[in-house]
Amino acid sequence: MSRILRLAAAQMGPTQCVDSREAVLARLIALLEQAAGQGAQLVVFPELAFTTFFPRWLLEGAELDQYYETAMPNPSVQPLFDRAKALGVGFYVGYAERTPEGRRFNSAITTSPDGSILARYRKVHLPGSVEPRVGDRFQQLEKRYFEYGDQGFEAFRGPEAWGRPVMGMLICNDRRWPEAWRAYGLQGVELMLIGYNSAAYDPNGGSTENEEIRTFHSNLAAQANAYMNATWAVSVAKAGNEDGSGLIGSSVIVDPNGVIVAQAKTLGDEVVVADCDLDACRQGKEKMFNFAAHRRPEHYRRITEQVGAILPD
């Protein structure tokens, strides 16, 4: 029996800081309904989908606190959960999490078709800085506003209705780090879900990066790592001119050979759908990337024992 799962990448256009929560929820629900209308069983939304990408500014107090969710779901996002349950569609969505203890994480959840939460994930690879860069119009202050994720890369099973896929979650910068993918690969991952908000300029200052090269890198990271771990991947953007700051688009669904099978064409709200044969992962897992047969972890100690580069003498 084949395991075919119809996936949707629900790219969002920009969310401005003046946009109301009600307006953003209406957009998310409209995308969900559009995807469900095309037969999607699982919909992937972007990182920090409920708000603008607030780490681009220096914020404090109540002005900062407004961007965090103190529970998931909560009354302001419950309509999305209710509509997804009514449609029998699961979803991945990213958000800013504040725990009851006051800890703050860049987080994501995946829900099942019955509305229950299958798994939660907290972003591990936080880019940017703690302190703002003097003179820059836009910042990248994720290290200031979030803690490093504390739950690692734990795979989980999807429901029977999806063919019980082995699933993983990453957020934005995580997709650029092969260690994260391989941690999931060693658990047999078949479907990686990723949301991102990636600047269309060098977010760390300078002029060596532009929209074209950053879009290329985004696609490259998804394609190469999907291939090297023999997994499907869905990588979904919030895109366009957000509060005067450009975000790349190019949301993609990638197969286990690293081939893009569906791709967004705009920088706005857009749904792309693909039928994913989960058993197509077996080719890579049983041959080229048969880890049990070919890995040699005794030679990989630097990967876990070292942070910065140490040059030879």
Side-chain angles (χ1 to χ4, degrees):
M1 179 179 175
S2 63
R3 295 185 300 150
I4 307 295
L5 176 62
R6 178 160 284 197
L7 297 172
Q11 178 172 288
M12 297 179 70
T15 296
Q16 315 303 339
C17 63
V18 297
D19 290 345
S20 69
R21 176 57 63 90
E22 292 78 14
V24 175
L25 258 288
R27 289 171 58 198
L28 287 163
I29 291 170
L31 288 166
L32 182 82
E33 292 175 339
Q34 184 179 341
Q38 297 180 55
Q41 299 161 273
L42 172 60
V43 181
V44 181
F45 292 110
E47 173 190 28
L48 299 178
F50 300 115
T51 69
T52 193
F53 185 75
F54 63 90
R56 66 171 64 97
W57 297 299
L58 180 62
L59 305 168
E60 295 179 342
E63 189 178 17
L64 174 63
D65 290 343
Q66 66 178 316
Y67 291 109
Y68 293 88
E69 313 295 330
T70 56
M72 188 57 65
N74 59 63
S76 68
V77 303
Q78 189 65 50
L80 176 65
F81 284 75
D82 293 344
R83 189 61 181 137
K85 182 178 180 179
L87 292 168
V89 175
F91 64 87
Y92 161 111
V93 69
Y95 64 101
E97 174 190 8
R98 187 174 69 208
T99 72
E101 300 77 27
R103 302 180 70 189
R104 300 172 189 240
F105 298 98
N106 189 337
S107 300
I109 57 165
T110 298
T111 70
S112 71
D114 65 7
S116 62
I117 293 176
L118 288 169
R120 292 178 172 86
Y121 172 76
R122 290 168 172 167
K123 186 174 182 177
V124 171
H125 298 97
L126 298 177
S129 60
V130 174
E131 298 302 324
R133 300 185 305 273
V134 176
D136 281 8
R137 180 183 178 193
F138 296 116
Q139 305 291 333
Q140 190 5 318
L141 296 174
E142 287 192 60
K143 283 185 169 69
R144 186 184 188 93
Y145 298 143
F146 301 116
E147 297 180 42
Y148 292 105
D150 60 352
Q151 298 173 330
F153 307 107
E154 291 296 321
F156 58 99
R157 284 278 188 183
E160 193 69 41
W162 298 350
R164 295 279 290 157
V166 180
M167 303 174 66
M169 289 186 280
L170 297 171
I171 300 174
C172 199
N173 193 41
D174 288 326
R175 75 194 189 280
R176 307 179 193 276
W177 295 86
E179 297 90 337
W181 292 78
R182 185 49 49 91
Y184 282 120
L186 288 168
Q187 299 169 78
V189 69
E190 298 172 303
L191 176 57
M192 189 74 78
L193 311 181
I194 310 160
Y196 62 94
N197 284 218
S198 291
Y201 54 89
D202 185 347
N204 297 301
S207 58
T208 58
E209 299 181 28
N210 58 21
E211 182 174 4
E212 181 179 6
I213 193 65
R214 289 183 60 79
T215 301
F216 169 75
H217 287 159
S218 180
N219 294 341
L220 177 67
Q223 292 179 260
N225 285 291
Y227 164 65
M228 289 186 289
N229 293 281
T231 182
W232 287 90
V234 190
S235 188
V236 183
K238 182 144 59 67
N241 186 333
E242 189 172 88
D243 297 317
S245 171
L247 296 173
I248 67 169
S250 195
S251 300
V252 291
I253 300 175
V254 179
D255 77 9
N257 286 312
V259 176
I260 294 174
V261 298
Q263 184 172 16
K265 304 301 183 185
T266 73
L267 294 177
D269 289 8
E270 182 180 354
V271 171
V272 295
V273 173
D275 287 325
C276 301
D277 181 355
L278 297 166
D279 290 330
C281 299
R282 293 177 56 187
Q283 166 76 12
K285 293 184 186 302
E286 295 174 0
K287 295 182 180 179
M288 183 64 72
F289 299 106
N290 182 330
F291 296 153
H294 305 310
R295 290 191 82 244
R296 293 295 176 263
E298 66 270 23
H299 299 299
Y300 308 154
R301 291 179 58 185
R302 279 194 184 90
I303 292 174
T304 58
E305 294 179 355
Q306 188 174 316
V307 181
I310 299 175
L311 303 181
D313 294 333

